[in-house]
Amino acid sequence: MSASTDRKKRQEAIANGTDKKTIAMQEEAAKKKKENRRWTIGGIIVAILIAAILLANSNFFYAKTPAVKVGSTGYSAAQMDFYYRTQYLNFMNQYGSYASMFGLDTSKSLKDQECTMSEDGGTWYDYFMQQAEDYVKQVTAYTKYAEENDIELDEDSLKMIDDQMTSFETEATSEGFSSVDKYLESVYGKGCNSKIIRQEMERVSLASKVIQNVQDSFEYSDDELAKYYNEHKDDYDNYSFAYYLVNAEQEPTASAEDGSSVEEEAAEAETAVTDETMAVAKKHADAIAAAATSTGDLTAAVQAEMGDTTLEAVAQSAVQGSNLPADYADWLKDGSRVAGDKTVVESEGTGYYVVVYGSRDANDYHMASVRHILIQAQADENGEYTEEALATAKATLEGIYQEWQNGDKTEDSFAALAQQYSQDSGSASTGGLYDSVYKGEMVPEFDAWCFDASRKPGDTGIVKGESSGYSGYHLIYYVGQGDLYSKYLAETALVQDSLQKWQDEQTDGFDVKEKFSLKFVQA
């Protein structure tokens, strides 16, 4: 190859970038470009990780991104935390002392515990979350109804919310939190603050007002109420009766040889009723039923047959039909029953009931409207109420009574004293008023005073009252008769039926759609 040809080829190679020097330069440039790209990508990844960490430690996912969407309304994780915690706290307030009986261990994560309350399975977290979602669905639908029907919160409702927010501030201070928002976050979950909590309290309060307005709008004639009660009288009427359960003896279901294992000994301890022991129980029950002539002598018949003077029949009075034991409810509800009727009913795997019929009450009495002032006795360190403590409570109430008598002795002045002195938190704020008291609702002494046949408006009196939760004295002012209890029962049921129909109509189409941020709602 001539020099000119070689030079020509080098020039072409340079022009095409294929000479060794150019190729080396291109490779080096490509390498640097690749490294730069790697560092750039690495920098982006680091930036993303840093951003993720910052977001995780902020309230962004809790307060800014949707956790669920109901119709066109979105709820953040913080808002859902409010509804979730509300459902949980309501449950604990009602059943907290019995939580373990439901299989709920409050010391462990709710996400790791199977829920015994749910028919569909799942954890306790799932159970409370489903309740929260159902509640949010209702609140969304009812507040939309409020907007469409110009329903707003009144000053009293807003003041109640103001008072609650003020109490949060007080609690935050007393418990050492640096701010009320920190306190609310500890109660309701991460991201919850005063703004969110107040917003949801207003939303819930407005939804409650809507329900109350709708409920108050339902009206029924006396004929409609009487017809409804008559159609459901078996479940509404009250029944009085007495019963005794003759238990069948239990016999061992397995026997063990000498030298048996621990497992075999355990098996030996297992017992169950047999056909033979059930037959013996039936024989005793038949004999008791033959001897008994009324609810009052059932105990004597039991003791004579069983040869044990410590045994007693159970007397039941004013048991509503819907609450009767399933084993003999139909027998008691039979319209042909008369006092002294009796029957023997099998309780499968247990024994036989002897039941004696007493009476049936159609609830055609007037309820009572009363005001009262309660002064409780102070329990000692053992939870007992001494005679001295009871005397002190009674003396205090007698002083209040004298104060009322020294005044104008009106219902209004009584109500004012109830607001000032009564220790019944359920009625003090309304002047001690109980507007629709029915038989058996109050403690026996209170109940007997209210339904004394001679009672007339303006009557007053002091009675002792006690239950599992208190012991003390009531000063009662009789306002007058209320509606018939049968009418009240029918109206309550009809209102509930109508309200449920309205609620179903309002929530129809308001499906709850779960979003990514729902995972941040804390158990």
Side-chain angles (χ1 to χ4, degrees):
M1 181 183 296
S2 65
S4 60
T5 301
D6 187 47
R7 185 168 53 255
K8 182 178 180 182
K9 287 188 176 292
R10 284 199 303 272
Q11 289 173 347
E12 290 175 355
I14 291 171
N16 294 327
T18 56
D19 68 310
K20 291 181 179 181
K21 184 176 180 181
T22 302
I23 290 173
M25 292 174 63
Q26 290 175 343
E27 289 176 349
E28 183 65 22
K31 182 178 179 182
K32 289 183 177 180
K33 184 177 181 180
K34 185 176 182 181
E35 289 178 350
N36 288 338
R37 185 164 59 248
R38 185 185 301 121
W39 282 111
T40 300
I41 293 172
I44 292 172
I45 292 173
V46 169
I48 291 174
L49 288 173
I50 291 173
I53 292 170
L54 290 174
L55 285 173
N57 287 303
S58 72
N59 290 331
F60 179 81
F61 284 122
Y62 299 95
K64 301 298 183 183
T65 60
V68 302
K69 197 167 186 180
V70 185
S72 60
T73 305
Y75 293 85
S76 68
Q79 290 169 299
M80 287 305 296
D81 252 325
F82 168 81
Y83 288 102
Y84 174 89
R85 295 294 180 92
T86 297
Q87 296 301 315
Y88 172 75
L89 292 172
N90 285 344
F91 179 90
M92 293 306 296
N93 285 336
Q94 187 171 4
Y95 304 112
S97 57
Y98 308 104
S100 60
M101 295 176 63
F102 292 100
L104 174 59
D105 186 345
T106 56
S107 68
K108 298 179 180 178
S109 170
L110 300 185
K111 292 183 177 179
D112 299 329
Q113 300 182 61
E114 183 178 351
C115 178
T116 58
M117 298 281 286
S118 175
E119 296 179 357
D120 301 325
T123 66
W124 279 100
Y125 176 83
D126 298 328
Y127 174 75
F128 290 121
M129 180 55 70
Q130 184 60 58
Q131 288 193 320
E133 290 186 359
D134 290 343
Y135 194 36
V136 164
K137 177 180 177 179
Q138 293 173 359
V139 168
T140 306
Y142 304 159
T143 51
K144 182 175 184 294
Y145 180 92
E147 182 181 349
E148 294 172 346
N149 291 274
D150 298 322
I151 301 174
E152 297 179 344
L153 292 178
D154 55 28
E155 290 184 3
D156 289 341
S157 297
L158 291 172
K159 184 180 183 303
M160 288 180 64
I161 295 174
D162 288 338
D163 291 344
Q164 183 59 62
M165 297 305 296
T166 299
S167 74
F168 285 148
E169 293 176 359
T170 302
E171 290 165 12
T173 301
S174 66
E175 295 189 23
F177 285 87
S178 60
S179 68
V180 66
D181 287 348
K182 291 292 184 183
Y183 169 75
L184 292 173
E185 193 171 86
S186 74
V187 174
Y188 291 106
K190 192 170 178 62
C192 288
N193 54 37
S194 300
K195 181 180 179 181
I196 288 175
I197 297 301
R198 184 183 182 88
Q199 172 185 302
E200 298 314 312
M201 287 176 64
E202 288 183 359
R203 205 186 317 233
V204 168
S205 183
L206 182 58
S208 297
K209 182 174 182 179
V210 166
I211 292 176
Q212 190 62 56
N213 285 1
V214 172
Q215 184 171 301
D216 292 343
S217 71
F218 298 130
E219 295 182 354
Y220 309 94
S221 68
D222 288 345
D223 287 342
E224 287 176 310
L225 296 175
K227 180 175 182 292
Y228 185 89
Y229 186 93
N230 190 57
E231 290 173 348
H232 299 84
K233 63 182 180 179
D234 284 351
D235 287 334
Y236 287 143
D237 283 357
N238 290 329
Y239 300 79
S240 295
F241 58 96
Y243 73 88
Y244 181 78
L245 174 61
V246 181
N247 285 297
E249 294 290 334
Q250 297 198 357
E251 295 184 344
T253 58
S255 59
E257 302 291 339
D258 291 340
S260 59
S261 66
V262 173
E263 291 78 12
E264 289 171 330
E265 289 178 358
E268 183 179 16
E270 294 178 4
T271 60
V273 301
T274 65
D275 291 343
E276 290 76 15
T277 59
M278 285 290 286
V280 171
K282 175 71 160 55
K283 182 179 179 180
H284 284 308
D286 288 339
I288 293 169
T293 60
S294 69
T295 57
D297 65 10
L298 180 57
T299 289
V302 169
Q303 293 176 351
E305 173 63 23
M306 305 304 290
D308 187 342
T309 58
T310 65
L311 300 178
E312 291 188 1
V314 179
Q316 297 277 36
S317 62
V319 179
Q320 195 173 57
S322 59
N323 296 324
L324 291 172
D327 286 330
Y328 47 85
D330 290 342
W331 183 83
L332 287 171
K333 292 177 181 179
D334 188 325
S336 66
R337 285 286 150 271
V338 295
D341 279 358
K342 50 204 174 182
T343 189
V344 173
V345 181
E346 180 180 359
S347 175
E348 187 175 355
T350 302
Y352 285 86
Y353 283 105
V354 182
V355 187
V356 182
Y357 182 84
S359 63
R360 178 168 176 166
D361 177 13
N363 292 308
D364 55 350
Y365 66 88
H366 287 273
M367 295 182 293
S369 178
V370 300
R371 293 183 184 274
H372 85 125
I373 299 170
L374 169 65
I375 298 298
Q376 299 184 42
Q378 294 297 313
D380 61 20
E381 62 274 9
N382 298 317
E384 303 293 332
Y385 299 97
T386 65
E387 290 300 322
E388 182 181 358
L390 288 167
T392 299
K394 186 177 182 181
T396 300
L397 193 60
E398 288 173 339
I400 297 170
Y401 193 15
Q402 189 62 52
E403 183 178 344
W404 178 75
Q405 290 179 316
N406 291 340
D408 56 14
K409 294 188 288 187
T410 64
E411 181 185 346
D412 287 342
S413 63
F414 190 99
L417 291 174
Q419 287 182 317
Q420 182 178 355
Y421 294 116
S422 182
Q423 295 175 343
D424 176 16
S425 59
S427 68
S429 63
T430 59
L433 180 64
Y434 280 104
D435 197 33
S436 301
V437 179
Y438 56 85
K439 290 180 180 179
E441 181 181 7
M442 301 299 189
V443 294
E445 298 83 2
F446 195 115
D447 190 75
W449 190 93
C450 289
F451 293 100
D452 186 314
S454 65
R455 193 64 57 223
K456 60 185 183 298
D459 283 355
T460 54
I462 292 178
V463 300
K464 182 181 178 182
E466 57 185 352
S467 68
S468 60
Y470 85 102
S471 185
Y473 288 86
H474 301 265
L475 172 59
I476 312 174
Y477 180 99
Y478 188 76
V479 177
Q481 286 187 340
D483 284 335
L484 284 172
Y485 187 45
S486 57
K487 177 181 175 180
Y488 171 82
L489 289 171
E491 185 173 28
T492 299
L494 281 169
V495 167
Q496 288 176 341
D497 291 345
S498 298
L499 184 61
Q500 185 61 61
K501 181 179 179 181
W502 177 86
Q503 289 175 320
D504 291 342
E505 291 172 350
Q506 296 304 311
T507 56
D508 184 37
F510 281 84
D511 297 324
V512 178
K513 296 181 180 179
E514 297 182 350
K515 300 294 184 179
F516 171 77
S517 292
L518 188 63
K519 64 166 47 179
F520 294 105
V521 175
Q522 303 169 60

